[in-house]
Amino acid sequence: MQARRGPSADSDRFEYLQTLVTEFQDTDSQEAKEQVLANLANFAYDPQNYGHLRQLQVIDLFLDMLTEDSETLVEFGIGGLCNLCLDKTNKASIVQAGGIAQVIQCLSSANEETVLSAITTLMYLCTASTRQQISTLPVVECMLRFSLSANRRISNLAHIFLEDYCTPEQVEEARSLSAHSALGIPLPKD
């Protein structure tokens, strides 16, 4: 098993990922960009790729996608970040690049997968040093609204967020201020 994962296999893996990044940057085809970004997001799931993806600045690429007009690029960008952010080094890179605010913006997406990945990413990014940035009153209000969603996946994740990443006082304050009206943040389509 070790022989297959030697320096040559590692080098091949890096070269393949580098080819994907180059293809993403060079293509003018929206469809090709989406397909390559989806592939990169899938490769972000494998911890063996983390170092290569950092070296190729794929974290920055994923963050850049969060502000795109294409909902598909946003979905794959946040999905890639979600896959990467359990790693401490990747988490630090995302936080240092201002990624928390960008991930929070994804909560207003009408795309269910984008919202699910955004909530999950926020949970993964939450540490003692980032909790104040993540569990802000607008985010808690949004999670209260999501907890009422008919969409069980979103509702369940929002309940977990409220229970595990917010204090009872934060939830109560958000409840009293908003009465579940996180204005301007539409619920994803069911």
Side-chain angles (χ1 to χ4, degrees):
M1 185 81 172
Q2 205 55 321
R4 289 193 319 190
R5 294 194 182 174
S8 177
D10 199 47
S11 173
D12 291 346
R13 182 185 297 257
F14 177 82
E15 287 176 21
Y16 182 73
L17 292 170
Q18 187 173 38
T19 301
L20 285 176
V21 171
T22 302
E23 182 180 345
F24 180 86
Q25 293 167 337
D26 290 348
T27 188
D28 291 328
S29 164
Q30 183 70 15
E31 188 178 321
K33 278 189 181 298
E34 291 171 358
Q35 186 174 12
V36 171
L37 194 64
N39 285 330
L40 287 169
N42 285 334
F43 281 110
Y45 193 72
D46 186 347
Q48 290 184 21
N49 296 325
Y50 290 169
H52 299 315
L53 294 171
R54 281 192 297 270
Q55 187 177 348
L56 293 167
Q57 299 178 325
V58 173
I59 292 172
D60 293 332
L61 175 68
F62 287 151
L63 286 168
D64 288 345
M65 292 304 103
L66 301 187
T67 58
E68 284 292 317
D69 291 333
S70 164
E71 190 58 51
T72 303
L73 291 177
V74 174
E75 176 186 338
F76 294 149
I78 190 66
L81 288 173
C82 188
N83 287 342
L84 284 171
C85 69
L86 277 176
D87 176 78
K88 288 180 182 181
T89 305
N90 293 340
K91 184 182 303 196
S93 294
I94 294 165
V95 171
Q96 289 169 357
I100 291 174
Q102 290 178 269
V103 172
I104 289 171
Q105 290 300 310
C106 291
L107 294 173
S108 64
S109 174
N111 180 309
E112 175 185 355
E113 295 304 319
T114 298
V115 171
L116 291 167
S117 290
I119 296 169
T120 305
T121 301
L122 288 174
M123 290 191 290
Y124 290 161
L125 290 174
C126 198
T127 65
S129 63
T130 61
R131 188 174 297 267
Q132 277 190 306
Q133 283 180 271
I134 292 172
S135 296
T136 62
L137 191 55
V139 171
V140 177
E141 287 177 312
C142 180
M143 293 302 160
L144 281 170
R145 186 160 183 249
F146 285 162
S147 73
L148 301 174
S149 172
N151 182 314
R152 296 308 304 160
R153 294 169 68 203
I154 289 174
S155 174
N156 289 342
L157 259 181
H159 278 288
I160 292 168
F161 186 95
L162 291 167
E163 290 172 15
D164 293 353
Y165 299 92
C166 304
T167 65
E169 294 79 19
Q170 286 175 307
V171 173
E172 198 48 48
E173 180 183 5
R175 210 175 250 132
S176 68
L177 289 177
S178 71
H180 306 301
S181 64
L183 297 175
I185 301 179
L187 284 173
K189 294 173 183 71
D190 290 332

